[in-house]
Amino acid sequence: MAAVSQPIASTSALPPAVPAASSTTAPAATAATPRIFDRSQLADVNAQLADATPQGILAWAIDHVPGLYQTTAFGLTGLAATDMIANLSKRRKTAHLVPLIFLDTLYHFDETMDLARRVEKKYKAPLHIFRPPGVETTKEFEAKYGERLWETDEDTYDYLVKVEPARRAYEELGVKAVITGRRRSQGADRAALEPVEIDSTGLIKINPLCRWGFQDVKDYIEMAGVPYNPLLDQGYKSIGDRHSTVLPKDGEGERSGRWASNKTKTECGLHKDYFAMKRAFEKKQLEQERAAVDKARGDDEVGESSISFDDGEAAKSEDLGASFSDLKLGA
């Protein structure tokens, strides 16, 4: 994964320390002068947040990280974070401090869509919804990109319903940092999560509940009366698209019910290398365009395109040489 050379804007060269884990109250707002926050300071930031509560991490992020949004699919961890932000906002006597970004894949459960509306209403949280490029409904998606695309080309599906809409959201909204619902106890590539990360694109990721387990989150939801997805009462623990989410078996991990047909998969694309996914998608698109032109010309063989490229186009084609098999998980 390529490193990002440019610095990331933040609000202090070295953010003030936050309360230790024994504190249940988030710190009050502090004045901060925008400074430079880059990878060289990441270890120091996480060291300062090592004993902070989720509320403390959230308060630190709100006070010291610009362009902050919460990306959420309204899972339990994200809901707990939203509730904590709402409580902090009330104590500061202000509107909900962190806007929400929801990626509508067009294949969510009805219960998930209903929950999104309930959360927006309860917390009066600004909610920004982004969908796959150029479509608004499932019917439009399938007409443009094909039916059951997750079965025929899962990586392209992930790019279209999650990765591209997320990047578009970040660009349109001016997002510099996002609050996520990832936790170490979810295992796989999340097992070593720190409170703060910077991914391959330079996006800052805040993981306020990274040290909590599933039961910790569930207890908070019940104690605080946070609205949640009713599918959880049926035994689901992690809920994604309806076509790829199943009930986990007894003893299985909480994300075992995701991507039922692909047990080696642990992420949907949002936490992979964006640049590699974009190159691979564009390469496939270019190949499809070539094939369509060859077919229109009546060529029987499609393997080698009859299209000629000038030097600029050839260089672009070469640059798109990454394949999905080369993808590496990002931060």
Side-chain angles (χ1 to χ4, degrees):
M1 180 171 59
V4 177
S5 58
Q6 69 268 26
I8 309 301
S10 186
T11 55
S12 63
L14 193 60
V18 298
S22 59
S23 173
T24 57
T25 303
T30 57
T33 302
R35 299 286 178 83
I36 297 301
F37 172 36
D38 61 26
R39 294 178 189 279
S40 67
Q41 296 166 304
L42 198 55
D44 289 334
V45 168
N46 281 315
Q48 290 192 11
L49 296 171
D51 296 320
T53 63
Q55 293 92 333
I57 295 171
L58 286 167
W60 172 85
I62 289 168
D63 291 336
H64 298 95
V65 181
L68 181 64
Y69 285 73
Q70 181 184 0
T71 54
T72 182
F74 301 100
L76 280 185
T77 314
L79 291 167
T82 300
D83 187 80
M84 292 175 184
I85 294 167
N87 290 333
L88 178 60
S89 302
K90 290 177 182 177
R91 286 196 293 273
R92 297 184 180 185
K93 298 181 179 179
T94 185
H96 195 85
L97 285 163
V98 182
L100 307 177
I101 295 174
F102 173 53
L103 305 179
D104 179 6
T105 66
L106 304 176
Y107 290 93
H108 282 298
F109 287 94
D110 291 340
E111 290 87 346
T112 302
M113 302 305 296
D114 178 65
L115 177 60
R117 290 186 285 267
R118 285 194 287 143
V119 169
E120 179 185 23
K121 181 177 180 180
K122 176 179 174 63
Y123 297 110
K124 297 181 174 58
L127 176 62
H128 302 276
I129 300 176
F130 285 80
R131 298 182 176 89
V135 297
E136 291 292 324
T137 66
T138 305
K139 184 176 181 180
E140 290 177 359
F141 180 89
E142 294 180 350
K144 185 170 184 176
Y145 300 111
E147 296 182 7
R148 307 184 73 83
L149 183 61
W150 59 89
E151 292 182 351
T152 60
D153 192 344
E154 188 173 30
D155 296 307
T156 293
Y157 176 80
D158 286 346
Y159 181 82
L160 289 170
V161 304
K162 288 289 188 72
V163 179
E164 191 282 337
R167 187 55 45 180
R168 183 162 22 100
Y170 301 160
E171 292 175 356
E172 291 184 11
L173 299 173
V175 177
K176 297 293 187 296
V178 294
I179 293 167
T180 85
R182 295 181 298 157
R183 292 180 284 106
R184 293 174 183 174
S185 66
Q186 292 168 327
D189 298 283
R190 304 184 176 196
L193 280 176
E194 293 290 347
V196 183
E197 303 171 288
I198 302 176
D199 75 4
S200 62
T201 70
L203 181 72
I204 299 172
K205 293 182 178 180
I206 312 296
N207 309 306
L209 284 85
C210 65
R211 291 186 286 264
W212 277 23
F214 178 79
Q215 193 61 47
D216 297 317
V217 179
K218 189 172 183 292
D219 289 345
Y220 179 92
I221 295 293
E222 293 176 352
M223 174 196 70
V226 180
Y228 62 89
N229 198 316
L231 291 174
L232 295 169
D233 292 332
Q234 299 179 26
Y236 292 90
K237 291 184 177 180
S238 181
I239 301 167
D241 289 337
R242 58 181 180 268
H243 55 73
S244 59
T245 303
V246 299
L247 281 168
K249 297 178 182 178
D250 290 341
E252 289 185 329
E254 64 180 277
R255 285 173 66 81
S256 61
R258 299 287 294 276
W259 307 296
S261 62
N262 186 350
K263 291 303 182 182
T264 64
K265 184 173 180 176
T266 60
E267 296 288 353
C268 63
L270 285 180
H271 304 293
K272 291 183 180 180
D273 188 324
Y274 164 74
F275 295 117
M277 293 198 77
K278 184 174 185 292
R279 287 195 302 270
F281 174 76
E282 290 175 344
K283 178 177 181 289
K284 288 188 177 183
Q285 291 294 100
L286 183 60
E287 291 171 346
Q288 290 174 2
E289 290 170 6
R290 286 178 172 179
V293 171
D294 284 340
K295 184 176 181 180
R297 289 166 57 95
D299 294 349
D300 293 330
E301 301 266 342
V302 184
E304 293 250 352
S305 174
S306 59
I307 300 176
S308 62
F309 289 89
D310 61 27
D311 292 341
E313 288 175 310
K316 179 181 178 183
S317 177
E318 183 179 353
D319 184 57
L320 300 179
S323 68
F324 278 108
S325 63
D326 299 326
L327 290 182
K328 297 179 180 179
L329 287 179

